[in-house]
Amino acid sequence: MATPQMDAIALLKADHRKVEDLFAKFESAKGDGRKQALAEEICMELTVHAKIEEDIFYPACEGSVDEDLLKEAYVEHDGAKVLIAEIEAGGPDDKFYDAKVKVLSEEIEHHVEEEEKRVEGMFAQARKAGLDMDALGAKMAAEKAQLLAAYKGQGLPRPEATTLHGTSLA
């Protein structure tokens, strides 16, 4: 069954709602196996989401949205990537596992708020600038499908930090 075509912002907001739901499920999950499965799904979703934003959406926004907002988004992604790498490398028996997932949840909550603010948020600015959201959405959906298929087969790649020059996250 083909999914209906979403514009770029609808696609990104759908990702945001899905991850928020996964974090809520993690909070109430019982048992290490369930927690680990949810944490891995969160990491997968966020890794794919960050990649399509950094590859397609953010470059399209350059020159159309506040430059500081865009820079902060890249730095926030890198912060999330550090935690994702830590969560992926560990497991529920690690001393700080739940804390890392909780802090990742809080970082993502802040990031989503910055993107979705009604007037001055990145999405509002991008829409006001007249970017072709349908074309961006189609491009992002295609890359998302490709990434999900690749990552499900071979696992998450080593995270690449955009703003941490010369720093490995592995």
Side-chain angles (χ1 to χ4, degrees):
M1 179 173 123
T3 55
Q5 185 62 48
M6 286 192 257
D7 78 15
I9 292 173
L11 184 146
L12 295 173
K13 283 184 173 182
D15 283 358
H16 291 168
R17 302 296 82 81
K18 181 175 185 177
V19 171
E20 287 167 355
D21 182 56
L22 290 169
F23 278 124
K25 286 178 180 172
F26 182 90
E27 283 277 319
S28 61
K30 305 285 183 233
D32 286 353
R34 179 75 178 131
K35 282 189 165 205
Q36 185 160 13
L38 285 164
E40 287 174 1
E41 189 175 353
I42 289 166
C43 290
M44 169 79 74
E45 291 294 327
L46 289 175
T47 298
V48 170
H49 180 83
K51 184 98 171 99
I52 65 173
E53 277 189 327
E54 291 175 9
D55 287 355
I56 300 165
F57 190 71
Y58 291 172
C61 288
E62 285 178 18
S64 298
V65 304
D66 180 61
E67 186 181 349
D68 287 340
L69 201 57
L70 207 49
K71 286 179 180 175
E72 288 171 21
Y74 280 110
V75 173
E76 288 167 354
H77 276 197
D78 284 353
K81 289 173 190 176
V82 170
L83 281 171
I84 289 167
E86 289 278 319
I87 292 164
E88 283 287 304
D93 55 341
D94 289 354
K95 186 175 178 180
F96 295 102
Y97 191 77
D98 285 13
K100 288 174 183 177
V101 175
K102 178 67 176 169
V103 170
L104 179 61
S105 168
E106 291 167 351
E107 285 184 4
I108 298 304
E109 185 180 331
H110 168 80
H111 180 72
V112 166
E113 186 181 311
E114 292 287 308
E115 288 185 337
E116 293 187 8
K117 278 183 184 164
R118 271 183 133 22
V119 178
E120 70 271 13
M122 186 183 302
F123 294 170
Q125 289 182 31
R127 201 175 287 288
K128 187 177 177 186
L131 298 179
D132 186 343
M133 293 302 169
D134 291 332
L136 287 171
K139 204 171 170 184
M140 290 165 56
E143 181 174 353
K144 181 177 179 176
Q146 188 178 29
L147 290 170
L148 285 170
Y151 295 168
K152 284 182 179 167
Q154 57 196 328
L156 291 180
R158 199 159 136 187
E160 295 175 23
T162 306
T163 65
L164 303 174
H165 301 290
T167 305
S168 172
L169 298 181

